[in-house]
Amino acid sequence: MCTVGGPVDIEFNERVKGKSYRCKECGERFKGVGKRPMCPSCQSEDVEEV
């Protein structure tokens, strides 16, 4: 059995700027990129840009 180690960290290029969003379901605020951001807390796609 082979183990690689800890969790994978994804580093974004400095030029990629995430937009700020707020989840309409749970109120979580987060940064997201892409056309369909998803809340990291509850996985809802019902979010709005703030």
Side-chain angles (χ1 to χ4, degrees), residues 2-38:
C2 179
T3 57
V4 178
V8 176
D9 290 326
I10 299 173
E11 292 185 22
F12 289 103
N13 188 315
E14 288 295 319
R15 289 174 286 175
V16 176
K17 300 292 183 189
K19 295 181 182 177
S20 295
Y21 293 94
R22 183 180 67 83
C23 178
K24 293 180 182 180
E25 297 288 324
C26 71
E28 176 79 14
R29 289 179 174 266
F30 62 96
K31 294 265 188 184
V33 293
K35 294 180 180 180
R36 297 183 62 172
M38 185 185 305

